[in-house]
Amino acid sequence: MEEILQFIYSNILSILMMVLLIVVGVFITIRSKALQFRHFGYAMKSTIGSLFDKSQHSKQKGSVSPFQAVTTALAGTIGTGSIAGLATALVAGGPGAVFWMWISALLGMVTKYAEIVLSLKFREKNDEGAWVGGPMFYIQKGLGEKWLAIIFAIFAMIACIGTGNATQSNAISGVMMSTLEIPTWITGLVVTVIVALVILGGVKRIASVNEKIVPAMALFFVVSALIVLGINVEKIPDAFALIFTEAFNFKSALGGVAGYGILSAMRYGIGRGVFTNEAGLGSAPIAHSASSETDPVKQGFWGVFEVFITTIIICTMSALVILTSDVYGTIFQSQNLNPELNGASLSSAAFNEALPGIGQYGVAIATIFFSLSTILGWAYYGEVCAGYLFKKHRKVAVTVYRIVYVAFVFVGANANIGLVWTVADCFNVLMALPNLIALVILSKLVINLTKEHFEKKRGLPDISENLDK
């Protein structure tokens, strides 16, 4: 099964995903006049710069605060995508994959912005009075294509089990085995119990937990990476040179030394880039839709911040730690990869090389908490999709989904890592297709809402009535 799925993904789905993400990103970038670059300063000021603003932490009944919404979304991105996903991209696509991950992020900033703006514009309240939204809502209401919205919800619900669940528990069990030699079944059982206790409390408990875990773990990982890079500072220029050289390595396709090639670098760089920032998937906007924020554009800029911090900052640091290590140097030169030294285990070995006896435990801690927060965040995504599909029996559907979701935490922890990632990759593509179609068609509405936002900021008359014409 792994070989069949890998063939389908490598030869069809990954190439389709790569092309669509680039095309849609370029299209919205051009149409918005490079919004993510023109308003980057404003995006940072209105997001990270406003964290001490009490309004960012206040919430209304049936919602979570804007900051809780973004940390829940960040929980879905700063997970194994930044540690294990980045490492597997380097192994499968070579150092050049990092460059194409950057490209996917620069384009993904505006893609994710558009997703969040549309999600808040078309969200609605469920029977419990809580805000719910996401691509299925703007596909149905904005495009008027309910069948396409249903397709998205089905694939997204399944993808949550693979992308946001199995890959994360697999990373935790893998790093615990390589670091402390704890059997995967024991790790899987413990994580399963923890997840079950949290998700039973719904989105508010999930948001409350992630609000505390994500900032602390992000800071911990960044500081740890800076220490390692400080030790290996003289190797950083060579690492960057390797990234740019291998990003355009046409020779390897004809039997060059490295054996990667530009297509592999692009495929795995962009493919894993989606794991690190989720831009284009349509998953993170589901979390943002629960925010008490009433301005779609204001919440949308959190999407720009998310992609920047996860891929441009954290993933770059993670990549440099690996590329400046002798561990990866040996792999790159010999192409003889130890099957046990992959994913989070490779990151662990790289950190431990610079910080003997300490580094591996730091990665283990980061992987555990990042992955745990990701599992919790994607649990909510799946619940919203289940509730959308079975609206008349939402409570039953959500309960059943939670049971299945929790069960797959244990399954993922004990599954083959190659199969887990391949299945996740395939369903990421399938859920992204309907979303990307909607983003292109509804891009004009995003531009109009953005214009309205900045017109109001400048104190000009409200032009919202003219924007719909």
Short mmCIF file of all heavy atoms in Angstrom, two decimals, residues 210-249:
data_model
loop_
_atom_site.label_atom_id
_atom_site.label_comp_id
_atom_site.label_asym_id
_atom_site.label_seq_id
_atom_site.Cartn_x
_atom_site.Cartn_y
_atom_site.Cartn_z
N ASN A 210 -3.66 25.30 24.26
CA ASN A 210 -2.71 25.73 23.23
C ASN A 210 -2.20 27.15 23.47
O ASN A 210 -1.08 27.48 23.09
CB ASN A 210 -3.35 25.64 21.85
CG ASN A 210 -3.42 24.21 21.35
OD1 ASN A 210 -2.62 23.38 21.76
ND2 ASN A 210 -4.34 23.93 20.46
N GLU A 211 -3.03 27.99 24.09
CA GLU A 211 -2.63 29.36 24.39
C GLU A 211 -1.41 29.37 25.31
O GLU A 211 -0.57 30.28 25.24
CB GLU A 211 -3.79 30.11 25.04
CG GLU A 211 -3.49 31.57 25.36
CD GLU A 211 -4.65 32.25 26.06
OE1 GLU A 211 -5.39 31.55 26.80
OE2 GLU A 211 -4.84 33.45 25.87
N LYS A 212 -1.28 28.34 26.13
CA LYS A 212 -0.16 28.26 27.06
C LYS A 212 1.02 27.48 26.47
O LYS A 212 2.18 27.84 26.68
CB LYS A 212 -0.63 27.59 28.36
CG LYS A 212 -1.74 28.36 29.07
CD LYS A 212 -2.26 27.59 30.27
CE LYS A 212 -3.34 28.37 31.01
NZ LYS A 212 -4.56 28.59 30.18
N ILE A 213 0.73 26.41 25.74
CA ILE A 213 1.78 25.54 25.22
C ILE A 213 2.56 26.18 24.08
O ILE A 213 3.80 26.20 24.08
CB ILE A 213 1.20 24.19 24.74
CG1 ILE A 213 0.68 23.38 25.92
CG2 ILE A 213 2.26 23.38 23.99
CD1 ILE A 213 0.07 22.05 25.52
N VAL A 214 1.84 26.71 23.09
CA VAL A 214 2.49 27.15 21.85
C VAL A 214 3.53 28.25 22.05
O VAL A 214 4.67 28.10 21.59
CB VAL A 214 1.42 27.58 20.81
CG1 VAL A 214 2.09 28.19 19.58
CG2 VAL A 214 0.58 26.38 20.41
N PRO A 215 3.20 29.37 22.71
CA PRO A 215 4.23 30.41 22.87
C PRO A 215 5.45 29.92 23.65
O PRO A 215 6.59 30.24 23.28
CB PRO A 215 3.49 31.51 23.65
CG PRO A 215 2.05 31.28 23.36
CD PRO A 215 1.91 29.80 23.28
N ALA A 216 5.22 29.15 24.70
CA ALA A 216 6.33 28.66 25.52
C ALA A 216 7.24 27.73 24.73
O ALA A 216 8.48 27.84 24.78
CB ALA A 216 5.79 27.94 26.76
N MET A 217 6.65 26.81 23.98
CA MET A 217 7.44 25.85 23.22
C MET A 217 8.14 26.49 22.02
O MET A 217 9.27 26.12 21.67
CB MET A 217 6.56 24.69 22.74
CG MET A 217 6.26 23.67 23.82
SD MET A 217 7.78 22.89 24.48
CE MET A 217 8.03 23.83 25.98
N ALA A 218 7.49 27.47 21.40
CA ALA A 218 8.11 28.17 20.28
C ALA A 218 9.36 28.91 20.77
O ALA A 218 10.41 28.86 20.13
CB ALA A 218 7.13 29.15 19.65
N LEU A 219 9.24 29.58 21.91
CA LEU A 219 10.37 30.30 22.49
C LEU A 219 11.48 29.33 22.88
O LEU A 219 12.67 29.58 22.61
CB LEU A 219 9.92 31.10 23.71
CG LEU A 219 11.00 31.92 24.42
CD1 LEU A 219 11.56 32.98 23.48
CD2 LEU A 219 10.41 32.59 25.67
N PHE A 220 11.11 28.21 23.47
CA PHE A 220 12.08 27.20 23.89
C PHE A 220 12.86 26.67 22.69
O PHE A 220 14.09 26.55 22.72
CB PHE A 220 11.36 26.05 24.59
CG PHE A 220 12.24 24.87 24.91
CD1 PHE A 220 13.08 24.88 26.01
CD2 PHE A 220 12.23 23.73 24.10
CE1 PHE A 220 13.89 23.79 26.30
CE2 PHE A 220 13.03 22.64 24.38
CZ PHE A 220 13.87 22.67 25.49
N PHE A 221 12.15 26.37 21.59
CA PHE A 221 12.80 25.81 20.41
C PHE A 221 13.72 26.84 19.75
O PHE A 221 14.83 26.52 19.33
CB PHE A 221 11.75 25.33 19.41
CG PHE A 221 12.34 24.66 18.20
CD1 PHE A 221 12.78 23.35 18.26
CD2 PHE A 221 12.46 25.36 17.01
CE1 PHE A 221 13.34 22.74 17.15
CE2 PHE A 221 13.02 24.76 15.89
CZ PHE A 221 13.46 23.44 15.96
N VAL A 222 13.24 28.08 19.64
CA VAL A 222 14.04 29.13 19.01
C VAL A 222 15.33 29.38 19.79
O VAL A 222 16.42 29.49 19.20
CB VAL A 222 13.23 30.44 18.90
CG1 VAL A 222 14.14 31.61 18.52
CG2 VAL A 222 12.14 30.29 17.85
N VAL A 223 15.24 29.45 21.10
CA VAL A 223 16.43 29.67 21.93
C VAL A 223 17.40 28.51 21.79
O VAL A 223 18.62 28.70 21.64
CB VAL A 223 16.03 29.86 23.42
CG1 VAL A 223 17.28 29.86 24.31
CG2 VAL A 223 15.26 31.16 23.59
N SER A 224 16.88 27.28 21.80
CA SER A 224 17.73 26.09 21.65
C SER A 224 18.44 26.11 20.30
O SER A 224 19.65 25.82 20.21
CB SER A 224 16.89 24.82 21.77
OG SER A 224 16.27 24.74 23.03
N ALA A 225 17.70 26.45 19.24
CA ALA A 225 18.28 26.50 17.90
C ALA A 225 19.35 27.59 17.80
O ALA A 225 20.40 27.39 17.17
CB ALA A 225 17.20 26.73 16.86
N LEU A 226 19.10 28.73 18.43
CA LEU A 226 20.08 29.82 18.40
C LEU A 226 21.38 29.42 19.09
O LEU A 226 22.48 29.77 18.64
CB LEU A 226 19.49 31.06 19.07
CG LEU A 226 18.45 31.85 18.26
CD1 LEU A 226 17.86 32.97 19.11
CD2 LEU A 226 19.08 32.41 16.99
N ILE A 227 21.27 28.66 20.16
CA ILE A 227 22.47 28.19 20.87
C ILE A 227 23.28 27.26 19.96
O ILE A 227 24.50 27.39 19.85
CB ILE A 227 22.08 27.46 22.17
CG1 ILE A 227 21.46 28.43 23.16
CG2 ILE A 227 23.31 26.77 22.79
CD1 ILE A 227 20.89 27.78 24.41
N VAL A 228 22.59 26.32 19.30
CA VAL A 228 23.27 25.39 18.40
C VAL A 228 23.91 26.13 17.23
O VAL A 228 25.06 25.87 16.86
CB VAL A 228 22.30 24.32 17.87
CG1 VAL A 228 22.95 23.47 16.80
CG2 VAL A 228 21.81 23.44 19.01
N LEU A 229 23.18 27.08 16.66
CA LEU A 229 23.72 27.84 15.52
C LEU A 229 24.87 28.73 15.95
O LEU A 229 25.77 29.02 15.16
CB LEU A 229 22.61 28.68 14.88
CG LEU A 229 21.51 27.87 14.18
CD1 LEU A 229 20.42 28.79 13.65
CD2 LEU A 229 22.09 27.03 13.04
N GLY A 230 24.85 29.17 17.20
CA GLY A 230 25.97 29.93 17.72
C GLY A 230 27.23 29.07 17.79
O GLY A 230 28.34 29.55 17.50
N ILE A 231 27.05 27.82 18.14
CA ILE A 231 28.18 26.88 18.20
C ILE A 231 28.70 26.57 16.79
O ILE A 231 29.91 26.46 16.57
CB ILE A 231 27.75 25.57 18.90
CG1 ILE A 231 27.39 25.86 20.36
CG2 ILE A 231 28.84 24.51 18.80
CD1 ILE A 231 26.80 24.67 21.10
N ASN A 232 27.78 26.46 15.83
CA ASN A 232 28.15 26.10 14.46
C ASN A 232 28.14 27.31 13.52
O ASN A 232 27.96 27.17 12.31
CB ASN A 232 27.18 25.05 13.90
CG ASN A 232 27.25 23.74 14.65
OD1 ASN A 232 28.30 23.37 15.19
ND2 ASN A 232 26.14 23.03 14.71
N VAL A 233 28.34 28.50 14.07
CA VAL A 233 28.19 29.73 13.30
C VAL A 233 29.05 29.76 12.05
O VAL A 233 28.64 30.30 11.00
CB VAL A 233 28.48 30.96 14.19
CG1 VAL A 233 29.94 30.96 14.66
CG2 VAL A 233 28.12 32.25 13.46
N GLU A 234 30.25 29.18 12.09
CA GLU A 234 31.14 29.24 10.93
C GLU A 234 30.64 28.38 9.76
O GLU A 234 31.07 28.55 8.62
CB GLU A 234 32.56 28.79 11.32
CG GLU A 234 32.74 27.31 11.57
CD GLU A 234 32.21 26.86 12.93
OE1 GLU A 234 31.83 27.74 13.73
OE2 GLU A 234 32.19 25.64 13.18
N LYS A 235 29.71 27.46 10.04
CA LYS A 235 29.19 26.58 8.99
C LYS A 235 27.92 27.14 8.34
O LYS A 235 27.45 26.59 7.33
CB LYS A 235 28.87 25.20 9.58
CG LYS A 235 30.09 24.46 10.12
CD LYS A 235 29.67 23.10 10.67
CE LYS A 235 30.87 22.35 11.23
NZ LYS A 235 30.47 21.03 11.80
N ILE A 236 27.35 28.19 8.90
CA ILE A 236 26.09 28.73 8.39
C ILE A 236 26.20 29.24 6.95
O ILE A 236 25.33 28.94 6.12
CB ILE A 236 25.56 29.84 9.32
CG1 ILE A 236 25.17 29.23 10.68
CG2 ILE A 236 24.37 30.56 8.69
CD1 ILE A 236 24.66 30.25 11.68
N PRO A 237 27.25 30.00 6.58
CA PRO A 237 27.37 30.44 5.18
C PRO A 237 27.38 29.27 4.19
O PRO A 237 26.75 29.35 3.12
CB PRO A 237 28.69 31.20 5.15
CG PRO A 237 28.86 31.70 6.56
CD PRO A 237 28.33 30.58 7.40
N ASP A 238 28.07 28.20 4.53
CA ASP A 238 28.12 27.03 3.65
C ASP A 238 26.74 26.37 3.54
O ASP A 238 26.37 25.85 2.48
CB ASP A 238 29.13 26.01 4.17
CG ASP A 238 30.57 26.48 4.03
OD1 ASP A 238 30.81 27.34 3.16
OD2 ASP A 238 31.43 26.00 4.78
N ALA A 239 25.99 26.40 4.64
CA ALA A 239 24.65 25.81 4.63
C ALA A 239 23.74 26.58 3.68
O ALA A 239 23.00 25.99 2.90
CB ALA A 239 24.07 25.81 6.04
N PHE A 240 23.80 27.92 3.75
CA PHE A 240 22.99 28.73 2.84
C PHE A 240 23.42 28.51 1.38
O PHE A 240 22.58 28.44 0.48
CB PHE A 240 23.11 30.22 3.19
CG PHE A 240 22.15 30.67 4.26
CD1 PHE A 240 22.59 31.00 5.53
CD2 PHE A 240 20.79 30.76 3.98
CE1 PHE A 240 21.70 31.42 6.51
CE2 PHE A 240 19.89 31.19 4.95
CZ PHE A 240 20.34 31.51 6.22
N ALA A 241 24.73 28.42 1.16
CA ALA A 241 25.23 28.18 -0.19
C ALA A 241 24.71 26.85 -0.73
O ALA A 241 24.32 26.74 -1.90
CB ALA A 241 26.76 28.19 -0.19
N LEU A 242 24.67 25.84 0.14
CA LEU A 242 24.17 24.52 -0.25
C LEU A 242 22.68 24.57 -0.60
O LEU A 242 22.24 23.95 -1.57
CB LEU A 242 24.41 23.53 0.89
CG LEU A 242 24.23 22.04 0.58
CD1 LEU A 242 25.20 21.60 -0.51
CD2 LEU A 242 24.45 21.22 1.85
N ILE A 243 21.93 25.33 0.17
CA ILE A 243 20.50 25.47 -0.08
C ILE A 243 20.24 26.06 -1.46
O ILE A 243 19.45 25.52 -2.25
CB ILE A 243 19.84 26.36 1.00
CG1 ILE A 243 19.81 25.64 2.34
CG2 ILE A 243 18.41 26.76 0.58
CD1 ILE A 243 19.36 26.51 3.50
N PHE A 244 20.92 27.16 -1.79
CA PHE A 244 20.69 27.83 -3.07
C PHE A 244 21.25 27.01 -4.24
O PHE A 244 20.64 26.97 -5.32
CB PHE A 244 21.32 29.22 -3.05
CG PHE A 244 20.56 30.21 -2.23
CD1 PHE A 244 21.02 30.60 -0.97
CD2 PHE A 244 19.36 30.75 -2.69
CE1 PHE A 244 20.31 31.52 -0.21
CE2 PHE A 244 18.64 31.65 -1.93
CZ PHE A 244 19.11 32.05 -0.69
N THR A 245 22.37 26.35 -4.03
CA THR A 245 22.96 25.54 -5.10
C THR A 245 22.07 24.37 -5.46
O THR A 245 21.79 24.10 -6.63
CB THR A 245 24.34 25.01 -4.68
OG1 THR A 245 25.21 26.11 -4.39
CG2 THR A 245 24.95 24.18 -5.80
N GLU A 246 21.61 23.65 -4.44
CA GLU A 246 20.79 22.46 -4.68
C GLU A 246 19.36 22.78 -5.09
O GLU A 246 18.67 21.93 -5.65
CB GLU A 246 20.77 21.58 -3.41
CG GLU A 246 22.09 20.93 -3.10
CD GLU A 246 22.56 20.02 -4.24
OE1 GLU A 246 21.76 19.19 -4.71
OE2 GLU A 246 23.72 20.16 -4.65
N ALA A 247 18.92 24.01 -4.84
CA ALA A 247 17.56 24.40 -5.25
C ALA A 247 17.43 24.40 -6.77
O ALA A 247 16.33 24.22 -7.31
CB ALA A 247 17.22 25.78 -4.70
N PHE A 248 18.54 24.62 -7.46
CA PHE A 248 18.52 24.66 -8.93
C PHE A 248 19.50 23.66 -9.51
O PHE A 248 20.18 23.94 -10.50
CB PHE A 248 18.85 26.08 -9.41
CG PHE A 248 17.89 27.12 -8.91
CD1 PHE A 248 18.19 27.87 -7.78
CD2 PHE A 248 16.67 27.32 -9.54
CE1 PHE A 248 17.30 28.82 -7.29
CE2 PHE A 248 15.77 28.28 -9.06
CZ PHE A 248 16.09 29.02 -7.94
N ASN A 249 19.56 22.49 -8.89
CA ASN A 249 20.50 21.46 -9.31
C ASN A 249 19.89 20.63 -10.44
O ASN A 249 19.27 19.61 -10.21
CB ASN A 249 20.87 20.56 -8.12
CG ASN A 249 21.92 19.53 -8.49
OD1 ASN A 249 22.43 19.50 -9.60
ND2 ASN A 249 22.26 18.68 -7.54
#
